[in-house]
Amino acid sequence: MGHQHEINGLHEAAAVSPGGDAAAEDDMARALLSPRFDAMRRAHDAAPQVDWPTRKRHLKALQAMLHKYRETFANAIDEDFGGRSAQETDMLELFPSHGNLKHALSHTRRWMRGSRGWANLWLLPARQAVVPQPLGVVGVIVPWNYPLFLAVGPLTDALAAGNRVMIKVSEVTPRFAEVFAAAVAETFPPEWVTVVTGDAQVARAFSTLPFDHLLFTGATSIGHHVMRAASEHLTPVTLELGGKSPAIIGPGARWEHAVERIMLGKLVNAGQTCVAPDYVLVPREKLDAFVATAKQVAARLYPNAVDNPQYTSIVSARHFERLSGLAAEAAAQGATSHALFDTPAQAVRRRLPPVVLTGVHDGMRVMREEIFGPLLPVVPYDDLDAAIAYVNERPRPLALYVFDTDTARIDQVVDGTISGGVTINDTLLHVAEHALPFGGVGASGMGGYHGEAGFRTFSKEKPIFRQARWNGAGLLNPPYGKVFAAMIRQLLR
């Protein structure tokens, strides 16, 4: 549930091919990381099979770590953001992390069993099995926007699958990176879990290590570079990217409910959420009503947002300037800005009150880039087919939200679009459902994790064919004659 297109452990510097001093710095960073990786690989090679008691112990230890450091983590994240309430960290990071751990503790033993049965009719009496096996050493690159949840979620899945895990935390949240690294070092031996801190140079070197699987959460533009680096070792990758996730308000939606849930999804963490609604499609006659209702909802959720301690600050001056620039450019190109509060932005404190934008078009950056902040473009449509076509003309989003009371219309949107995930008549919540895989499609990512999907992502599902002592395979041996011909006739019927 994270990223921003400029900084994310790997930032724009990663787009530049290293040369000269940069190449030397890359080599130095890799030299610092390699011993830690090599130690984990040796430990895995010495004990590649990990039993349930060991996995359970690791998951319980992680669970205890979250309880012990709950306040420490919340305070560190608040400090890094320059203002994020402990309540929001509890709701958006601690709660789903705990839920994922409980789910893994309840189900991993069953997932480990795999499947067994008889072979197909012509191969009887042989038997077959699919046995999940730990991959080895898993790498996780964590973004800054949900630094705890997006570290603990993949860590939970990888530990459940029996792996050793190396985590690169973002330099944009340095205080959290420091306390998380210390907490992990206290909780786990370094050959099981280790946390890497450092800048984009370190992140770039991290992505070149020969992991058995690499999970990256971040921007589409950086995903290209991560995948390219991983390809050197044919490292399998899961890319959790971003994009412009639409919310469609259908003609039969419960209006107040729809606007409230869209605004909540947009305003928690001040919109710095990868699955936040990036723009809204509304029936044309409802455009003005959306603006009016959004103002009422925002005032109810976050009264006096700029001075409300429960409303999150923008993470850095750079991000604040980018968001302010997006809004100013859109207005200069003809968009109408509807400030949802009378209080102005405060650049020093990086407090950016929410703004609804109407009259937008594709020539504006705000309609081309993932916003990742409290700006919400609203686009009118004339009929539902037009709304679906609008979504399909653009890169496939990480999330899609549809609001309506008519099942046929909901199915029309769900069946007519492709996205990473869908929540119907709400926002964000599909990410918190542990039985659902989370992942993008196309420009919004590849692969998935969470719950059983995460267990399988970080496992090698090894197929095993067990031949019986007495079997008929020899009937198909050369030299081929009448018996072979009769057998083939049966096989090909």
Side-chain angles (χ1 to χ4, degrees):
M1 218 164 68
H3 27 211
Q4 202 282 329
H5 86 294
E6 291 182 317
I7 302 179
N8 190 12
L10 295 170
H11 56 41
E12 293 301 334
V16 180
S17 297
D21 291 343
E25 290 173 4
D26 282 353
D27 290 341
M28 186 180 299
R30 197 175 298 109
L32 292 171
L33 296 176
S34 291
R36 299 169 74 172
F37 174 85
D38 293 342
M40 300 181 93
R41 172 54 55 77
R42 287 192 299 270
H44 169 75
D45 290 344
Q49 298 304 321
V50 183
D51 60 16
W52 164 239
T54 302
R55 301 186 197 199
K56 180 180 179 181
R57 186 171 67 250
H58 290 158
L59 295 172
K60 287 283 191 181
L62 183 56
Q63 198 173 46
M65 186 189 87
L66 290 181
H67 281 292
K68 180 177 180 179
Y69 285 93
R70 173 185 171 185
E71 289 187 12
T72 303
F73 290 151
N75 290 337
I77 293 169
D78 177 44
E79 184 179 333
D80 284 332
F81 273 77
R84 192 172 91 173
S85 70
Q87 295 96 325
E88 214 155 77
T89 295
D90 279 348
M91 179 179 70
L92 301 174
E93 305 220 47
L94 265 296
F95 167 67
S97 296
H98 276 295
N100 197 31
L101 275 162
K102 290 178 181 177
H103 188 76
L105 284 164
S106 297
H107 297 283
T108 296
R109 196 170 187 178
R110 174 175 60 82
W111 297 337
M112 289 174 65
R113 296 190 191 112
S115 63
R116 289 169 172 79
W118 291 105
N120 71 63
L121 177 64
W122 293 105
L123 297 177
L124 290 174
R127 296 185 68 87
Q128 54 81 19
V130 177
V131 179
Q133 197 171 28
L135 288 172
V137 183
V138 168
V140 178
I141 299 177
V142 182
W144 53 262
N145 62 325
Y146 292 98
L148 179 61
F149 175 56
L150 293 172
V152 172
L155 176 58
T156 297
D157 294 350
L159 289 176
N163 296 284
R164 297 157 197 275
V165 189
M166 199 168 178
I167 302 171
K168 168 64 180 76
V169 285
S170 174
E171 75 277 14
V172 179
T173 48
R175 181 61 185 145
F176 171 79
E178 178 186 348
V179 298
F180 185 73
V184 167
E186 179 187 281
T187 305
F188 294 98
E191 66 271 16
W192 275 108
V193 184
T194 188
V195 175
V196 174
T197 60
D199 60 11
Q201 200 86 38
V202 175
R204 187 159 61 238
F206 185 95
S207 67
T208 67
L209 295 173
F211 292 110
D212 297 291
H213 197 102
L214 177 62
L215 185 147
F216 167 77
T217 301
T220 302
S221 59
I222 306 304
H224 290 283
H225 303 292
V226 172
M227 193 169 182
R228 188 175 297 115
S231 70
E232 179 182 350
H233 302 288
L234 296 181
T235 298
V237 294
T238 296
L239 300 178
E240 299 302 343
L241 308 177
K244 301 188 73 64
S245 298
I248 301 175
I249 301 182
R254 291 176 288 147
W255 181 253
E256 293 280 348
H257 169 81
V259 179
E260 177 192 287
R261 302 317 294 173
I262 289 169
M263 295 309 301
L264 179 69
K266 186 63 173 179
L267 297 184
V268 292
N269 207 31
Q272 298 166 108
T273 305
C274 64
V275 291
D278 199 271
Y279 64 94
V280 185
L281 289 160
V282 301
R284 188 170 299 277
E285 66 276 10
K286 293 281 194 177
L287 185 61
D288 293 338
F290 184 91
V291 175
T293 308
K295 285 184 178 182
Q296 296 168 5
V297 169
R300 187 167 69 247
L301 295 176
Y302 294 100
N304 191 23
V306 170
D307 294 316
N308 188 330
Q310 294 185 355
Y311 184 71
T312 302
S313 298
I314 304 304
V315 73
S316 71
R318 182 176 181 179
H319 291 77
F320 182 92
E321 290 166 7
R322 173 184 169 271
L323 289 165
S324 299
L326 287 179
E329 288 175 24
Q333 293 176 283
T336 301
S337 296
H338 307 269
L340 301 189
F341 292 94
D342 295 330
T343 49
Q346 294 183 8
V348 173
R349 298 173 57 213
R350 305 191 304 277
R351 308 290 282 181
L352 188 64
V355 173
V356 169
L357 296 167
T358 57
V360 294
H361 56 75
D362 287 345
M364 300 171 178
R365 272 203 305 147
V366 76
M367 293 306 294
R368 297 195 308 270
E369 298 179 5
E370 182 180 7
I371 294 172
F372 229 73
L375 311 178
L376 185 61
V378 183
V379 179
Y381 69 84
D382 294 308
D383 58 63
L384 204 52
D385 286 333
I388 292 170
Y390 188 92
V391 173
N392 289 337
E393 288 164 2
R394 288 153 177 79
R396 289 169 174 170
L398 182 58
L400 183 143
Y401 306 109
V402 55
F403 292 83
D404 209 299
T405 54
D406 182 82
T407 301
R409 280 194 294 263
I410 292 171
D411 290 345
Q412 182 183 352
V413 174
V414 174
D415 294 344
T417 57
I418 297 179
S419 61
V422 175
T423 291
I424 297 167
N425 288 322
D426 216 317
T427 59
L428 310 185
L429 295 182
H430 64 285
V431 180
E433 173 47 63
H434 313 300
L436 291 176
F438 174 71
V441 57
S444 61
M446 65 175 65
Y449 69 113
H450 286 194
E452 185 172 2
F455 175 89
R456 304 214 176 279
T457 288
F458 297 123
S459 297
K460 166 55 185 170
E461 305 233 57
K462 180 180 285 186
I464 300 172
F465 182 88
R466 192 180 299 276
Q467 182 63 284
R469 181 173 182 178
W470 307 106
N471 64 81
L475 297 174
L476 298 176
N477 290 352
Y480 307 121
K482 291 182 179 180
V483 173
F484 175 85
M487 291 289 292
I488 284 294
R489 280 197 298 271
Q490 291 298 316
L491 291 171
L492 299 181
R493 288 180 62 184

